[in-house]
Amino acid sequence: MEFKKTGWTTRLKRFALAVDSWVDAGLWGAARRAGDTYERIRSFTDRLTVTGGQRLAAEFASEGLNVGIAGSFLLLALAIPSFQEGREEALKHQVFAVTFLDRYGAELGHRGARHDDSLTLEEMPDHLLKAVLATEDRRFYDHFGIDIIGTMRALSVNARASGVVQGGSSLTQQLAKNLFLTNERSLDRKIKEAFLAIWLEQRLTKNEILKLYLDRAYMGGGTFGVAAAADYYFGKSVRDVSLAEAAMLAGLFKAPTKFAPHVNLPAARSRANDVLNAMVDAGFMTAGQVDSAKRNPATPIDRRRDSSPDYYLDWAFDEIRRLADDGKIGPDRVLTVKTPHDPAIQDRADTAIESILRQHGPGYRAKQAATAIMETDGAVRALVGGRDYGASQFNRATASLRQPGSSFKPFVYAAAMQAGLYKPATIVTDRPVCIGNWCPNNYGRSFAGSMPLTVALAKSINTIPVQMSIALGQATGETHVARAARIGRLKIIETSRAMGLNSPLTDTVSLPIGAAEVTVIDMAAGYAVFANGGRRARPYAAIEIHNSHGEPIYRHDRDEPAPLQVLSTQVAQDINFMLSKVPTEGTGRRAALEGVVTAGKTGTTNGYKDAWYVGYSGNLVGAVWYGNDDSSETANMTGGSLPAMTWKEIMQFAHQGLELKPIPGVAPPDPKAATIARAQAPATPNAASATGPGAGHMPRQSFEVLSAVGAMFKTIEAPRPAGRRLQVGIQDISAAGSERAIR
């Protein structure tokens, strides 16, 4: 046994030594072969060794390759967002040609690209194309989308002038910006613009790019494209424009509002001369050829008295694109849209804002205004986005976010009353209330004590909405004041959004008194919920849409869902009763209409930066805002002054000839009006209930506090600013955004 064990161990040792020898030999052989290979490679590369200038060139080439590879990855990373912006679907999405009609069927205006199969690029005048290329992109047919030479030349010219004198963007880059991007001045936008220009050059021919540019560019006066501009400014087809007219059109691309001939004819002619000189410099024409055009400048049609609802058309065009995104109008993009627009109301709104700003704006240091007028179901009749579309196309009625001040309080009251916590006759107490270290103040730094809820709303008491937010939270069982207030504010935001306020509505402690920012059109839509008895009223611009073959493809009453009941009928009627006191006995007395029952609310923000009046009848709803674009303070302008005056000026005219409909929950002014109101009032779910008022009748609880309300209003007098001729009702300045605490 011992012998066998010794023999097995010996064999194992011998096997291990054999493996070790094999591994050692393999490694030694591999190292030897590697050394031989290295020597051969070194011997070969020695023959490639260069010195002097050749070595320097080789080093540069090597480093250039490294940088190029790294740069390629960087460019790819930068290009990905641009490629997402420039998908084929995005390009197709932009191809719209929309003709808008007013509510009577008359042509209102156009938006989008105008496509005319009978007018190709070749049929446009040669001198027009040369004028555009001479001023916008002389090397258009020679570059790949980015004009390197042109960019360097522009940088050189701007450096010598110590300012931006010449633009460096190619025509393709400008088209990319018009199609896919905004006018934001940022490096990110310029990078996207460059990549999108290359993307367009890869997918379209040069002539297609030029045609798109000529069709899509804004040309002033609410026109887009040279065809529309030629018709608007000169009353002729673009095929027939002269050299002088072509130069004036080409000059609009740089600054359409500044050089529009109907706004500033001398500036337009001076710019046209620059275009003619550029054509000579580019070698497209001789000095003799352009001399006649210089001596006989273009004379446009007098459009100074024309009124085009450009702000309305811009908003309506966006609404049509939204319908297209929602898949409600099919693939056709050449459309005719009948809108609820009323030219007479639009003209009165434009005139009222301009005349009141001219007369009273300087005294109040107010330079801008906006308004939205709609029916109680959301059909927008008129829209003013600013006092001068030619000076600024920014739509302050639909895009500008401003603090509403006290005009936001009805949404707070609606949320609290919807929760069953308050009624118009509820006695509330104006007293100090704090959330943390924030304590809202009333105008005048005093407290009015106990009063009915109706009076609290009419007097714009700031502490009551804050108490409501706390009560809404405490109704859920929360006892901590700050946490209860936050829960209550979230419920207020939820109610406000359900009623049509689509802006973010940032949650801050001062939200209940109007610190959250809203748009004018959303405020009108929110108040329309009160006016129609509690139903959501989404603003709309399309009653009916026809495609390019004249076939109806959309009807609002057929293709949109029935409006949701977002407030109970009873709550809407209670709010209406309370708000009906504002124009007759409260802060909005300057908005009261003769012979028409209305309701509404004024709003003035901290520092007098924004002033509002939002009101309604049983027929129409309107929101009016006054202020400044830079949010600078006005001279003590309140919602009861210029906004209320403007609202009355528009609405008194708008109600002429109408069969007056009742405001749910508010008594009509006389038996005859009551008869008309009862005949036209829609049935409501609880109209016949024992406690709920029927259509056209005042709520029962309203009579319980009517005497007290009237007595309190008679004792209220408004302060009159020194030197101010305009007198307003009760001051309604909200402490929105104020952090001042009551000591």
Side-chain angles (χ1 to χ4, degrees):
M1 293 297 293
E2 184 66 29
F3 172 78
K4 289 182 179 180
K5 181 177 180 181
T6 303
W8 179 83
T9 304
T10 302
R11 286 194 300 273
L12 182 62
K13 289 180 179 180
R14 288 175 180 174
F15 176 76
L17 288 172
V19 171
D20 182 65
S21 298
W22 179 80
V23 171
D24 288 345
L27 291 175
W28 182 84
R32 182 178 178 181
R33 288 191 297 273
D36 292 342
T37 301
Y38 174 76
E39 288 296 330
R40 287 195 297 271
I41 292 174
R42 190 177 69 174
S43 176
F44 175 77
T45 56
D46 285 345
R47 296 197 298 269
L48 300 177
T49 301
V50 293
T51 59
Q54 291 181 332
R55 180 172 182 176
L56 183 62
E59 291 291 340
F60 272 115
S62 177
E63 292 301 322
L65 181 61
N66 292 335
V67 173
I69 293 173
S72 298
F73 282 106
L74 177 61
L75 288 175
L76 179 61
L78 293 173
I80 289 174
S82 304
F83 294 153
Q84 292 174 342
E85 295 276 359
R87 294 190 300 266
E88 291 286 352
E89 292 81 1
L91 181 59
K92 293 177 182 178
H93 171 74
Q94 299 291 329
V95 183
F96 276 91
V98 185
T99 299
F100 291 98
L101 310 177
D102 64 23
R103 65 196 304 262
Y104 305 108
E107 186 173 304
L108 191 62
H110 299 269
R111 281 297 183 269
R114 287 185 173 186
H115 299 283
D116 187 351
D117 295 336
S118 65
L119 184 63
T120 63
L121 187 67
E122 290 73 18
E123 291 178 288
M124 290 187 181
D126 181 65
H127 49 257
L128 173 62
L129 303 182
K130 289 179 177 178
V132 173
L133 294 177
T135 54
E136 301 302 313
D137 192 350
R138 298 179 186 181
R139 293 173 45 80
F140 173 68
Y141 284 99
D142 299 323
H143 60 65
F144 58 93
I146 302 174
D147 185 5
I148 304 297
I149 297 176
T151 301
M152 298 302 296
R153 182 179 63 247
L155 290 174
S156 175
V157 172
N158 293 338
R160 289 196 301 269
S162 300
V164 180
V165 176
Q166 192 175 106
S169 296
S170 68
L171 187 147
T172 313
Q173 287 176 272
Q174 295 179 54
L175 176 62
K177 181 187 70 174
N178 292 340
L179 289 177
F180 307 112
L181 305 173
T182 66
N183 290 322
E184 176 190 7
R185 292 177 177 267
S186 66
L187 179 62
D188 179 65
R189 198 267 288 171
K190 294 297 292 184
I191 292 172
K192 288 182 178 180
E193 180 184 286
F195 281 110
L196 287 170
I198 298 173
W199 182 86
L200 286 171
E201 291 275 352
Q202 295 299 314
R203 283 159 176 76
L204 302 174
T205 67
K206 286 287 187 180
N207 284 349
E208 288 173 336
I209 292 172
L210 180 57
K211 183 66 165 62
L212 275 173
Y213 181 76
L214 294 173
D215 281 343
R216 302 295 177 86
Y218 179 64
M219 305 290 286
T223 62
F224 291 81
V226 292
D231 179 67
Y232 181 76
Y233 293 121
F234 305 116
K236 61 173 67 174
S237 168
V238 69
R239 287 176 288 193
D240 302 324
V241 296
S242 64
L243 175 59
E245 293 166 343
M248 188 171 286
L249 290 175
L252 293 171
F253 289 99
K254 181 179 181 180
T257 57
K258 179 179 179 181
F259 298 120
H262 71 303
V263 175
N264 192 336
L265 183 56
R269 286 177 170 171
S270 176
R271 175 60 180 163
N273 269 340
D274 293 339
V275 173
L276 294 171
N277 291 331
M279 296 174 71
V280 175
D281 293 340
F284 294 159
M285 283 192 171
T286 66
Q289 288 175 309
V290 304
D291 184 62
S292 177
K294 287 184 176 181
R295 288 187 285 104
N296 300 285
T299 301
I301 296 173
D302 187 1
R303 296 285 187 182
R304 289 173 296 180
R305 296 185 180 180
D306 286 4
S307 59
S308 177
D310 293 314
Y311 289 114
Y312 188 101
L313 292 174
D314 288 350
W315 170 75
F317 188 54
D318 289 339
E319 288 298 298
I320 298 305
R321 289 192 290 192
R322 181 184 62 79
L323 290 176
D325 290 341
D326 294 342
K328 294 184 177 181
I329 57 177
D332 205 330
R333 293 295 180 266
V334 180
L335 308 170
T336 300
V337 179
K338 184 178 182 181
T339 72
H341 182 269
D342 190 312
I345 297 177
Q346 179 72 56
D347 183 64
R348 179 53 65 100
D350 288 327
T351 303
I353 283 178
E354 180 60 27
S355 62
I356 289 176
L357 276 174
R358 285 186 179 183
Q359 182 178 1
H360 301 291
Y364 280 100
R365 295 201 302 271
K367 299 178 181 178
Q368 277 295 351
T371 186
I373 309 297
M374 64 179 63
E375 297 177 24
T376 59
D377 70 339
V380 180
R381 292 281 200 95
L383 198 69
V384 181
R387 67 185 301 182
D388 187 354
Y389 186 84
S392 170
Q393 289 84 57
F394 179 65
N395 197 329
R396 296 158 189 83
T398 61
S400 180
L401 291 171
R402 313 294 298 214
Q403 288 186 343
S406 293
S407 61
F408 182 77
K409 291 174 183 175
F411 298 102
V412 181
Y413 279 60
M417 296 172 73
Q418 184 80 354
L421 303 178
Y422 296 87
K423 293 185 179 298
T426 301
I427 301 300
V428 293
T429 302
D430 178 23
R431 55 179 173 77
V433 59
C434 295
I435 300 175
N437 62 355
W438 179 79
C439 307
N441 295 306
N442 291 316
Y443 183 78
R445 296 280 196 266
S446 61
F447 298 95
S450 298
M451 66 192 76
L453 191 67
T454 300
V455 176
L457 180 58
K459 292 180 65 176
S460 288
I461 302 298
N462 283 331
T463 64
I464 303 304
V466 178
Q467 292 179 47
M468 285 180 165
S469 68
I470 297 172
L472 281 167
Q474 291 175 339
T476 65
E478 178 60 62
T479 57
H480 188 273
V481 172
R483 288 195 292 267
R486 176 170 174 75
I487 294 172
R489 292 195 303 271
L490 293 178
K491 290 183 177 293
I492 292 168
I493 291 174
E494 180 182 357
T495 300
S496 301
R497 285 178 177 162
M499 293 177 66
L501 300 190
N502 298 313
S503 55
L505 295 177
T506 305
D507 179 17
T508 62
V509 290
S510 54
L511 176 138
I513 52 177
E517 295 179 326
V518 296
T519 64
V520 173
I521 195 169
D522 281 358
M523 286 293 283
Y527 274 61
V529 175
F530 302 134
N532 66 34
R535 297 184 299 277
R536 173 72 183 267
R538 189 184 301 276
Y540 65 91
I543 296 175
E544 193 173 87
I545 302 177
H546 291 74
N547 62 16
S548 57
H549 304 292
E551 302 166 343
I553 57 175
Y554 172 88
R555 282 180 52 187
H556 182 270
D557 58 353
R558 179 193 66 194
D559 299 322
E560 294 295 333
L564 297 175
Q565 190 80 24
V566 294
L567 287 182
S568 72
T569 305
Q570 185 64 56
V571 168
Q573 291 174 345
D574 290 342
I575 293 287
N576 290 338
F577 169 73
M578 292 191 288
L579 291 180
S580 69
K581 299 302 174 185
V582 174
T584 57
E585 301 164 342
T587 59
R589 295 177 186 178
R590 286 189 169 271
L593 304 184
E594 298 178 8
V596 182
V597 175
T598 64
K601 188 71 185 76
T602 55
T604 311
T605 60
N606 194 46
Y608 300 96
K609 294 180 180 179
D610 302 284
W612 295 75
Y613 187 80
V614 190
Y616 53 94
S617 67
N619 300 76
L620 297 171
V621 186
V624 179
W625 165 85
Y626 273 79
N628 295 308
D629 285 339
D630 60 359
S631 294
S632 58
E633 295 183 1
T634 65
N636 298 336
M637 181 175 63
T638 66
S641 58
L642 303 191
M645 291 168 57
T646 303
W647 193 91
K648 178 178 181 177
E649 181 70 18
I650 298 169
M651 287 298 200
Q652 192 72 63
F653 173 84
H655 282 81
Q656 292 180 6
L658 292 182
E659 290 191 8
L660 301 180
K661 297 179 181 179
I663 299 176
V666 181
D670 55 61
K672 182 179 179 181
T675 302
I676 298 174
R678 284 192 294 270
Q680 296 183 347
T684 55
N686 64 342
S689 64
T691 57
H697 295 282
M698 183 177 292
R700 179 180 300 173
Q701 65 267 31
S702 301
F703 291 101
E704 298 174 3
V705 297
L706 187 56
S707 298
V709 170
M712 295 191 71
F713 275 124
K714 290 178 181 178
T715 64
I716 297 170
E717 283 297 333
R720 173 184 257 175
R724 182 83 57 209
R725 288 189 300 166
L726 295 176
Q727 184 177 356
V728 299
I730 308 160
Q731 292 287 349
D732 66 330
I733 299 173
S734 168
S738 173
E739 299 297 329
R740 294 170 296 194
I742 300 175
R743 300 297 182 185

